[in-house]
Amino acid sequence: MEKKKWSLQRILIGSFLVIIIGIVSTFILLLHHDYQFLYQEKGRQLTNAFNRHVHAEIENLLMEPLLINHFFRSRLQEDALFLQDDLSEIEALQKRIFQEYVHQIPQVSVLSYGDEQGRYAGLRRNQDGTQNVMLKDRRTEDALIIFSGEEITSPPALILEDYDLHQRPFYQPLIQNPVPSWSSLYVNQDERMEVTVTHMLPLFDKNAQFSGVSAVDVSLFGLQELLQKDELLRSGEGVIYIVDDKWNLVAHSGEEPWIHVQDETGELTIEKASTLPHPLINHSSQYILQQDVPLGEPLAIPHPDMPYYAIYSPLTIEDLPHWQVVVALPEESLMGAVRERQHYTIMIILVLVIVLTVLGIWFLQKIIAPIYQTSKAAKEIAAGHWNVDLPVTDSMIAETHQLVTSFQQMTVSLQSSFEKLENSKQKYQDLFNNKSEELKRAMSELIDREKLASLGGLVAGVSHEINTPLGTSISSVSYISHQTEKVFRQLEDNSLTEEGLYGYFHDLQESLKLLENNLERSAHLVNSFKEIAVNQNIESPQSFQLKTVINNVILSLKHEYKHQQHQFQVDCPENLWIHSYPGVYSQILTNLVMNSIIHGLSDQHRGLITIKAAMKHGTLQIVYGDNGSGLTEEVKKNIFEPFFTTKRGKGSSGLGMSIVHNLVTQKLKGSIRCSGQVNQGVLFHIEAPIQYK
């Protein structure tokens, strides 16, 4: 009983799909398992790095006002400006400092001076960039006046008759302890009622007695804007918040209000971090306080809805306030980009798999179809049906048993036919003898024809040009099959790596591209072979302007010499109208120009191509030339032969000039000849009648 045979189409396509699905499934599973590992490793690194970045931003924001205040205090102390009768000199100094330095530091809202005499001079910046002078001395009759501009000649915006400087939060602490320090949060006693924090520096007279204070106000809302501007926070649910030593909120990157000011009294109430209705601030502050989390150590904190990493640490510079910074980054903020990248990678893989699967099945069908047709044709021939067209193939892959058996039967049938022909040989011998002399004469005439002399070269060229891309295609298919089996074995024994998988897809894509290019080259060669014969029915004669055809050809080929600066010189009368085949002339000129670009002018950056056309005695004469590398005697002798080329193996098939020769002599019923010498360019002389009956 004959063993059941499987279809080649089922085996190849089924195996291909199983391998692709298995590889893609394994890759997706590996991505899923790697996600948790990445979250644990990258979570600590990103949280720690982000914490350092936030600390640097906050410390820079506070250090710049601190340095401005030190500079202001040093000028006051060195020049003893506070010993003057009024504060006009201090007022001028504040304006200079604002103009030279403070305009570059937007977080500074007020630069001020106050002393034990109750005098006060300040310069305040508004959100629109304008400035207000604030003054209390003998010129204001000891009332604090906030002027509407930066000059005391400006109209007053606010007058405070009972303003007590010594009770203000930026002055009172230094009365008891005159050392550089930062104030607690407080509300400015002006029309804006702005929450601020102030850096304070004491001033001393010549007797080393405390004399006054230089101060720089930092807007608390500017600090909040700094915390809210980070891209990582805006893309997820992360949060940054600053607390004092009692865990009162100083600022945070959320939207919830944490400072409440009574407009009538200016009384300030500050929320604690553990009472603010923000899920991450509330949860992280309680967790840190209850679990005694170490300073500066990233920690994964569990949460029923939103697991996150958190880190808290104090400001590292000694001269800054004793604040602590807490950074909390949820999994979505830390891993959102990774998850998105994984999804993007999976989508690319799926699209690539779909494309490669479609291409693979299409190529497999192209390989399987000739084998199936050959097997079918073999059966027909074996049955004695001689009119069957056999597909050109020498491959036996799937239905090998059926194919060999059919060809064996065909051999038997052919043998029987040859025996019958042998029996009929004597019958036709006499007829052959009678026709031998006539046959000899006909053969002599055929041998004299130029095309018959080149028949051997044509056959050899066809064989070489077609077999080369087809051989490469067969090798590519074999390589794809070998690599697929190799990957499948690695998948079975769990030795397939991600690099191996990427390598397999890369090799598969390169092999398929190579296969596609060689098959396209074969199709292009077949079309070129057809053009040698010149189909006489492709176009009807018509009247046209020859110069227009020439210019159109030059324009259409501009992309071929776009990296060179070749020049065209056309000498053709505008009124030269002919009745012929415009498409044929376009093809002739196209092949001549491409021959010049590829061969004659390949080593030149600026070449010259000339085209001259004229009517003489009812015949169109065209002279085409270039100033390129010219022709040797051997090239001139064989230039119109099919498959003759000086650049074989470099993309040239040697058919271009043969096509030109056939178009001129067969389609146009004219003649063409070439002349030229090495390094002296080339000339082609074309003559053709222009009327057809």
Side-chain angles (χ1 to χ4, degrees), residues 151-171:
E151 301 293 340
I152 62 175
T153 57
S154 303
L158 180 66
I159 300 176
L160 299 176
E161 297 287 352
D162 56 351
Y163 182 78
D164 187 358
L165 172 68
H166 298 153
Q167 300 301 318
R168 299 303 297 154
F170 68 87
Y171 194 97

Side-chain angles (χ1 to χ4, degrees), residues 344-360:
Y344 181 70
T345 302
I346 291 174
M347 290 300 298
I348 291 178
I349 293 297
L350 291 178
V351 171
L352 182 61
V353 166
I354 292 173
V355 172
L356 293 180
T357 299
V358 173
L359 290 176

Side-chain angles (χ1 to χ4, degrees), residues 375-612:
S375 178
K376 184 177 179 181
K379 285 185 176 181
E380 295 293 326
I381 294 174
H385 301 150
W386 299 101
N387 293 328
V388 176
D389 293 331
L390 289 174
V392 181
T393 181
D394 58 354
S395 177
M396 298 168 61
I397 302 177
E399 287 83 4
T400 55
H401 178 75
Q402 180 181 357
L403 192 61
V404 172
T405 302
S406 298
F407 272 106
Q408 288 176 346
Q409 294 174 2
M410 181 185 65
T411 303
V412 174
S413 298
L414 287 174
Q415 184 64 38
S416 176
S417 298
F418 283 135
E419 290 177 358
K420 292 178 181 179
L421 289 174
E422 187 65 27
N423 294 334
S424 302
K425 180 180 179 180
Q426 189 61 41
K427 178 179 178 181
Y428 295 102
Q429 186 67 43
D430 294 338
L431 181 61
F432 175 79
N433 291 334
N434 293 334
K435 299 294 183 178
S436 61
E437 292 299 325
E438 183 179 353
L439 183 60
K440 289 180 181 179
R441 288 194 300 272
M443 289 295 294
S444 177
E445 292 176 0
L446 291 174
I447 292 174
D448 290 338
R449 294 177 62 86
E450 182 178 0
K451 293 290 98 183
L452 187 60
S454 63
L455 182 59
L458 175 62
V459 173
V462 170
S463 174
H464 175 78
E465 294 297 327
I466 294 296
N467 283 338
T468 298
L470 287 181
T472 303
S473 299
I474 293 172
S475 299
S476 297
V477 172
S478 176
Y479 177 74
I480 291 173
S481 177
H482 172 74
Q483 290 298 102
T484 301
E485 292 175 0
K486 178 181 177 181
V487 172
F488 185 71
R489 288 195 301 270
Q490 291 177 348
L491 185 62
E492 287 180 332
D493 58 18
N494 294 323
S495 62
L496 179 63
T497 63
E498 183 176 345
E499 291 79 7
L501 178 60
Y502 279 119
Y504 167 70
F505 279 123
H506 175 76
D507 294 343
L508 181 61
Q509 187 177 24
E510 293 292 330
S511 299
L512 290 176
K513 185 65 178 178
L514 180 63
L515 184 58
E516 179 183 10
N517 291 340
N518 282 276
L519 291 177
E520 287 179 354
R521 176 167 172 77
S522 299
H524 176 71
L525 289 172
V526 171
N527 291 333
S528 298
F529 299 151
K530 291 180 181 179
E531 290 177 352
I532 296 177
V534 185
N535 185 352
Q536 300 293 331
N537 299 318
I538 61 175
E539 191 177 22
S540 299
Q542 56 182 290
S543 296
F544 61 93
Q545 189 179 24
L546 182 60
K547 189 169 184 179
T548 299
V549 172
I550 296 173
N551 290 335
N552 287 340
V553 169
I554 295 173
L555 181 61
S556 66
L557 295 177
K558 188 174 182 179
H559 66 281
E560 296 289 345
Y561 57 90
K562 63 182 178 180
H563 299 299
Q564 290 81 28
Q565 299 182 9
H566 300 325
Q567 302 294 322
F568 286 83
Q569 182 178 321
V570 179
D571 184 7
C572 178
E574 296 285 348
N575 60 353
L576 181 54
W577 286 76
I578 62 176
H579 188 75
S580 185
Y581 299 92
V584 172
Y585 280 95
S586 295
Q587 188 172 0
I588 291 171
L589 291 172
T590 297
N591 285 10
L592 289 174
V593 173
M594 289 302 300
N595 189 70
S596 295
I597 293 174
I598 295 174
H599 296 280
L601 303 175
S602 61
D603 297 327
Q604 295 189 26
H605 184 69
R606 186 189 297 271
L608 177 64
I609 296 175
T610 60
I611 303 175
K612 298 181 181 180

Side-chain angles (χ1 to χ4, degrees), residues 72 76 87-88 90-95 98 109-115 119-125 131-137 139-140 144-147 149-152 163 165 170 190 213-217:
F72 179 46
L76 292 174
L87 303 180
S88 57
I90 297 178
E91 176 189 341
L93 174 62
Q94 289 171 335
K95 292 178 181 178
F98 253 80
S109 61
V110 178
L111 180 63
S112 61
Y113 163 80
D115 58 25
R119 297 184 302 173
Y120 176 82
L123 190 59
R124 184 181 70 179
R125 175 173 27 210
Q131 298 170 2
N132 301 117
V133 172
M134 299 182 293
L135 190 63
K136 179 184 178 183
D137 64 2
R139 291 174 294 173
T140 64
L144 176 63
I145 300 178
I146 301 177
F147 294 91
E150 58 183 44
E151 301 293 340
I152 62 175
Y163 182 78
L165 172 68
F170 68 87
D190 56 17
V213 175
S214 68
V216 172
D217 292 357

Side-chain angles (χ1 to χ4, degrees), residues 27-41:
F27 183 76
I28 294 175
L29 185 62
L30 289 174
L31 286 179
H32 176 73
H33 284 293
D34 285 343
Y35 180 81
Q36 290 301 322
F37 173 79
L38 289 174
Y39 172 62
Q40 295 174 359
E41 291 296 317

